[in-house]
Structure formats: C-alpha cells, structure tokens
Amino acid sequence: MSLEAIEKVTQVENLGRERKTAAEAEARQIVADAERDGLALLQQVRADAAESGRELLRQAEAKAAERSAQISQTAETAGAALRETAGKHLEEAAEFIVGRVVNH
C-alpha cells in the first residue's frame, strides 16, 4: 500500500472515530434533555393534581357547609313547630296532670 493510501485510511478512521464520539455525545445530551423535560413535566402534573385536589376539597367543603345550613334550618323549623304545638297543648296537659294528682 502506498503512503498516501495509508494516510487516507488513517484520516477516514480518525474521522469515523470523531463522528462516533460526536454522535455518542449528542445521544447522551438527548437522553439528558429528555430526562430533564420528563421530570419537569412530572413536577408540573403533580402540582396540577395537587391544585385540582385542593379545589375539589374546597368545593366539597362548600357543599357540606351549604347542606349543613339546610339541615340546621330544617331542624330549627321543625323544632319551632314542635314548640308551638307543645305550647298549644300545655294548658291541656297541666289540667290533665292536676286532675290526676287531685283525683288520687
């Protein structure tokens, strides 16, 4: 083989090694970028999920407070009706009790 051919083969081999090294470095960079982007996306999804959870909890608490107020109002109305009914029968009950005590 001539000296020129040997030099040419050596140059081609060196160029191939350089390209391979550059391709490996680029591949490592692509993987690192993908991992970084994936972690950033994961953190964003977790943050969004936490915010969504907080919003759902806030809505549930608001609905529970509203329902509690409704139940309280219903109980108050029923209690007032019972008090009114009891008040109407109070005199009758007193007369009944006095009659039972006096007759015995």
Side-chain angles (χ1 to χ4, degrees), residues 27-43:
R28 283 190 298 273
Q29 186 62 46
I30 289 170
V31 169
D33 290 346
E35 287 177 352
R36 184 191 67 237
D37 293 346
L39 288 174
L41 182 59
L42 179 60
Q43 288 175 339

Side-chain angles (χ1 to χ4, degrees), residues 10-67:
T10 303
Q11 283 179 335
V12 169
E13 287 176 345
N14 288 338
L15 182 60
R17 278 192 291 273
E18 289 173 5
R19 286 182 179 171
K20 181 180 176 185
T21 301
E24 288 172 347
E26 184 178 356
R28 283 190 298 273
Q29 186 62 46
I30 289 170
V31 169
D33 290 346
E35 287 177 352
R36 184 191 67 237
D37 293 346
L39 288 174
L41 182 59
L42 179 60
Q43 288 175 339
Q44 183 62 45
V45 167
R46 284 181 177 164
D48 291 347
E51 180 60 33
S52 178
R54 284 190 292 274
E55 178 60 22
L56 288 173
L57 181 59
R58 186 195 63 73
Q59 290 175 4
E61 287 173 343
K63 286 180 182 178
E66 183 180 322
R67 182 69 179 129

Side-chain angles (χ1 to χ4, degrees), residues 62-103:
K63 286 180 182 178
E66 183 180 322
R67 182 69 179 129
S68 176
Q70 289 173 349
I71 290 170
S72 179
Q73 181 61 40
T74 302
E76 183 62 37
T77 302
L82 287 173
R83 282 191 297 278
E84 184 179 335
T85 302
K88 289 178 181 177
H89 297 289
L90 183 62
E91 190 173 323
E92 290 175 26
E95 287 176 12
F96 176 77
I97 293 171
V98 168
R100 295 280 301 213
V101 170
V102 171
N103 290 334

